[in-house]
Amino acid sequence: MTSGSVTDARRGNRRIRKAVFPVAGLGTRFLPATKTVPKEMLPIIDKPLIQYAVDEAIEAGCDTLVFVTNRYKHAVADYFDKAYELEQKLERAGKTEQLELVRNVLPPGVRAIFVTQAEALGLGHAVLCARPVIGDEPFAVLLPDDLIWTRGGPGALSQMADLAQAQQASVIAIQDVQRSQTGSYGIVATEDFSGREGRITAIVEKPAPEVAPSTRAVVGRYILSPRIFDLLETTPPGAGGEIQLTDAISQLLREDPVFAYRFRGTRFDCGAHIGLIEATIRYALDHEVLSDAARRVMQNALDELGVTDL
Ligand code: UTP
């Protein structure tokens, strides 16, 4: 391989094949449920959050899924494991539809690999734990509690993978937020932002509204050059004493192109109570079987509570 092709491969000339799901956080906002149920296993209707993210990664072309878990999160590994007894029972009962649902949690040809983050030292550290599996190729990171609804259109990661390939660059998903909300997000500054994308010139973790360089906020989808691993190795603990992915990205954009991409779709912050409620309502109202009933029960609830001015 020439040094040029090494650079191309590192930057993203190939389409991504590997996706990392950092699911080792403590999920404190959903205690007491998250005492035993990982946040990523909370369902929207009948699928856990992690399944929505996995489906999005597979649709984008990924066939190797790396879950960064902690030693308490057996539920995530169990979910992707084969459920022999259940499958046998469903098969014997002739419940082929349900059998398919259980089997298709991971379609054939897609493999799941689990690595452990021994201590919750931050998102950046969790991503670094995936290094031995990712190696030297561009890869995706998906935070399952950011649920992105594209209503049958191409998933957010697939849209980003197109841009990463075309620009041979790292790509970070962004959405516009109110200036008053910048303190809850990583915020990017870009060169010209034309249509949906722009090259990032700076990224700041949770800036106060008066100093935020823009109102373009990072959400939980990234396509990253493997160079990020070298940078993460030397990234000191930042905000909250955690090793922040944002800090390593801030280094990365000094040497490699990194684009912000405003995806087509709606993002629900399911790491927060109201986001999980909103996503449930939206998916229910759009559900092919449940939508009428969902509409009815919502209307009843509003009537009974005397809510007139929404
Ligand atoms: P969050 O900031 O949402 O933290 O992490 P959390 O622990 O999951 O939830 P709260 O705030 O306590 O309720 C963002 C993502 O990074 C992962 C989390 O699992 C989540 O997907 N993460 C965070 C790790 O994998 N390891 C860490 O050390 C920290």
Side-chain angles (χ1 to χ4, degrees):
M1 220 188 224
T2 65
S3 64
S5 60
V6 169
T7 307
D8 285 351
R10 289 178 75 98
R11 279 189 177 169
N13 199 18
R14 284 176 284 156
R15 200 166 170 94
I16 43 152
R17 292 187 311 115
K18 295 179 180 170
V20 177
F21 302 86
V23 293
L26 301 177
T28 52
R29 281 171 289 175
F30 279 99
L31 283 169
T34 45
K35 244 183 107 183
T36 54
V37 182
K39 176 171 69 170
E40 300 75 19
M41 293 305 295
L42 297 175
I44 302 293
I45 315 288
D46 49 11
K47 279 202 288 183
L49 288 170
I50 190 81
Q51 182 75 58
Y52 289 92
V54 158
D55 289 348
E56 186 182 327
I58 293 171
E59 189 236 355
C62 296
D63 61 9
T64 302
L65 313 180
V66 189
F67 299 91
V68 182
T69 65
N70 64 37
R71 62 183 154 280
Y72 307 108
K73 292 210 174 172
H74 300 292
V76 177
D78 290 348
Y79 178 76
F80 289 106
D81 205 354
K82 203 167 164 56
Y84 288 104
E85 212 180 310
L86 176 63
E87 289 187 23
Q88 270 177 8
K89 278 193 176 148
L90 292 172
E91 202 160 12
R92 272 195 224 117
K95 297 195 167 176
T96 45
E97 212 173 296
Q98 287 90 336
L99 185 62
E100 279 313 293
L101 284 175
V102 172
R103 284 189 174 150
N104 281 340
V105 159
L106 271 191
V110 174
R111 57 188 184 143
I113 296 170
F114 294 85
V115 298
T116 303
Q117 183 187 26
E119 240 184 300
L121 297 179
L123 174 58
H125 180 259
V127 171
L128 184 56
C129 292
R131 182 175 201 169
V133 185
I134 301 297
D136 195 30
E137 59 182 287
F139 64 100
V141 176
L142 297 94
L143 306 189
D145 50 1
D146 271 341
L147 175 59
I148 301 182
W149 186 58
T150 53
R151 211 180 183 187
L157 192 68
S158 175
Q159 299 171 39
M160 293 166 67
D162 290 344
L163 178 64
Q165 204 171 11
Q167 294 287 350
Q168 295 184 35
S170 298
V171 176
I172 297 175
I174 57 111
Q175 71 173 38
D176 297 303
V177 296
Q178 303 285 335
R179 186 156 278 276
S180 60
Q181 296 180 307
T182 57
S184 305
Y185 293 90
I187 299 289
V188 298
T190 60
E191 286 174 357
D192 52 326
F193 195 90
S194 57
R196 299 204 162 268
E197 69 220 41
R199 185 167 169 169
I200 300 178
T201 52
I203 183 165
V204 200
E205 188 62 27
K206 302 188 171 68
E210 56 279 13
V211 294
S214 79
T215 51
R216 297 197 174 105
V218 175
V219 305
R221 299 289 183 279
Y222 310 78
I223 293 178
L224 296 170
S225 146
R227 171 76 181 128
I228 199 78
F229 293 127
D230 295 334
L231 299 169
L232 280 168
E233 295 275 9
T234 56
T235 299
E242 297 195 332
I243 297 175
Q244 298 287 349
L245 183 59
T246 307
D247 291 342
I249 292 173
S250 178
Q251 298 292 319
L252 180 66
L253 48 92
R254 291 185 197 169
E255 41 186 273
D256 264 351
V258 183
F259 279 74
Y261 177 71
R262 187 199 283 131
F263 52 89
R264 286 181 298 274
T266 306
R267 169 244 182 194
F268 301 105
D269 175 10
C270 295
H273 297 148
I274 197 67
L276 193 75
I277 293 169
E278 190 183 3
T280 303
I281 291 173
R282 194 71 73 93
Y283 277 75
L285 289 175
D286 195 52
H287 195 278
E288 56 179 3
V289 177
L290 295 173
S291 70
D292 285 346
R295 225 170 280 265
R296 246 190 340 269
V297 295
M298 279 179 219
Q299 193 60 61
N300 288 346
L302 293 173
D303 292 348
E304 275 178 36
L305 293 170
V307 181
T308 47
D309 55 341
L310 277 183

